[in-house]
Amino acid sequence: MKIAMWSGPRNLSTAMMYSFGARSDCAIWDEPFYAAYLAATGQDHPMRDQILAAHDSKPDAIVAAILDPNTGQKPHFYMKHMPHHMVAGFPMGWARSCVNVHLIRHPARVIASYGAKRSTITADDIGFRQQAQVYDQLGGIVVDSFDIRQNPAAMLEKLCNAIGLPYDPAMLTWPAGGRVEDGIWARHWYGAIHASTGFAGPEGPLPDTDPAHRTLLNEAMPYYDKLQALRLRP
């Protein structure tokens, strides 16, 4: 089974990748199109030059690897994708061979977390519009990171059942530190996950949004609300 997990940044996405990677039957791939996105858009992200040097930036070659039955060499293959990485002209037909899952998080939480890593945030950085577009194109299963953190075991079992994969309790824990599958960008973004050995506890109240980001929050909310209404219920 190929699983395409679509998620914006700062959204429990790396923890979910580590969770599936903790299964003995599942290979993982960290943001296959990130370098291609940077090359195509010219975006000035942290570690841009290192990412382009270390990762494939040719979309067709990435698609060929996704479709290659030998990639990962395990029965199941989990890919962490960001919707905003799929810029106009990038192939998307490969995704129809996958089980598509859409991981969402309240925009106020995403903006607060992303803002701690980058001083400037745009709608394209956090990808709510693009995620709704990918859902419209591919359909699939929606899961909210809030629900996962409330009860990881129950929600992971529900998600596995929904995609036709036997639940494995090994998904609840992983060793501290990085994984060989991490993108080179892990050194900038993955400090908290590298210090963890499992999912963080339930999230608290929504954070206050910086006045400078209120317009961004208001722009993202309709896309989040649309997908949140379709989510897999606890």
Side-chain angles (χ1 to χ4, degrees):
M1 176 187 297
K2 289 185 171 68
I3 303 163
M5 177 67 81
W6 299 95
S7 168
R10 318 309 292 171
N11 200 12
L12 205 71
S13 57
T14 308
M16 288 293 284
M17 181 179 73
Y18 278 26
S19 174
F20 276 82
R23 301 176 59 109
S24 62
D25 62 356
C26 192
I28 58 175
W29 194 352
D30 191 9
E31 299 181 35
F33 289 93
Y34 191 6
Y37 160 78
L38 293 178
T41 64
Q43 288 282 337
D44 185 19
H45 279 208
M47 300 185 64
R48 172 187 165 85
D49 290 344
Q50 296 97 314
I51 294 167
L52 289 172
H55 295 276
D56 201 330
S57 60
K58 300 180 291 298
D60 289 344
I62 298 163
V63 169
I66 290 172
L67 296 177
D68 186 338
N70 294 317
T71 299
Q73 297 184 346
K74 290 189 176 182
H76 307 297
F77 183 32
Y78 179 101
M79 294 165 283
K80 171 190 168 190
H81 289 290
M82 297 215 167
H84 58 287
H85 289 174
M86 307 309 297
V87 299
F90 280 17
M92 284 289 289
W94 59 269
R96 301 207 177 274
S97 68
C98 302
V99 175
N100 290 282
V101 184
H102 307 269
L103 178 66
I104 60 173
R105 190 185 191 197
H106 194 287
R109 301 186 193 278
V110 173
I111 291 167
S113 181
Y114 195 88
K117 291 290 187 177
R118 293 188 75 192
S119 58
T120 302
I121 313 173
T122 70
D124 284 343
D125 290 325
I126 56 177
F128 281 88
R129 171 180 54 82
Q130 294 94 328
Q131 187 162 22
Q133 290 173 339
V134 169
Y135 179 85
D136 288 344
Q137 183 177 358
L138 299 173
I141 297 159
V142 180
V143 62
D144 196 312
S145 64
F146 179 89
D147 297 329
I148 294 171
R149 286 184 53 176
Q150 285 290 112
N151 192 336
M155 285 307 299
L156 287 172
E157 185 169 8
K158 281 180 177 287
L159 176 59
C160 287
N161 289 340
I163 65 178
L165 187 68
Y167 172 63
D168 185 345
M171 299 175 73
L172 295 175
T173 59
W174 49 81
R179 292 189 57 111
V180 297
E181 298 94 343
D182 286 345
I184 196 171
W185 50 84
R187 67 186 67 166
H188 179 82
W189 295 102
Y190 292 0
I193 190 69
H194 286 173
S196 74
T197 56
F199 290 95
E203 293 191 296
L206 289 176
D208 292 331
T209 301
D210 188 304
H213 297 144
R214 295 274 171 78
T215 298
L216 180 62
L217 174 65
N218 292 336
E219 182 178 342
M221 280 303 302
Y223 300 114
Y224 170 76
D225 287 340
K226 170 185 174 177
L227 292 177
Q228 206 264 350
L230 300 168
R231 81 190 193 283
L232 193 64
R233 302 283 173 169

